[in-house]
Amino acid sequence: MFGFGKKETKVFKVDGMACPRCSAAVKTALEKLKLKADIDLEKGTVTVCGAAIDENTIQGAVEACGFDFKGEVK
């Protein structure tokens, strides 16, 4: 409907996540931003879905958890 509430999905590379506890920390931080986050530990990626995905905000949340944000996977 008129573009309101349109969601986008982006995939970001994150280094340093090695276990379920790591992925849970990142997922929780991103969900606090009202984003849906799926973590792939094997690939070291985070798939984020939401109405407004700001890469700088995602980077801040990931780095606040102690992980190395590498940017969007193209």
Side-chain angles (χ1 to χ4, degrees):
M1 289 177 40
F2 308 106
F4 294 110
K6 183 178 178 182
K7 297 193 185 263
E8 61 181 321
T9 300
K10 292 185 179 181
V11 180
F12 299 97
K13 179 73 175 158
V14 177
D15 285 346
M17 297 185 301
C19 67
R21 180 179 252 167
C22 297
S23 64
V26 172
K27 184 176 179 110
T28 299
L30 294 174
E31 288 176 345
K32 286 181 181 178
L33 300 174
K34 307 288 189 218
L35 299 169
K36 183 179 184 299
D38 291 312
I39 313 295
D40 186 328
L41 286 175
E42 287 184 27
K43 293 181 181 176
T45 60
V46 178
T47 302
V48 179
C49 180
I53 299 175
D54 177 63
E55 188 167 340
N56 291 327
T57 302
I58 305 257
Q59 180 176 1
V62 168
E63 290 179 349
C65 294
F67 302 101
D68 190 18
F69 183 85
K70 296 294 187 179
E72 188 174 359
V73 176
K74 301 278 179 172

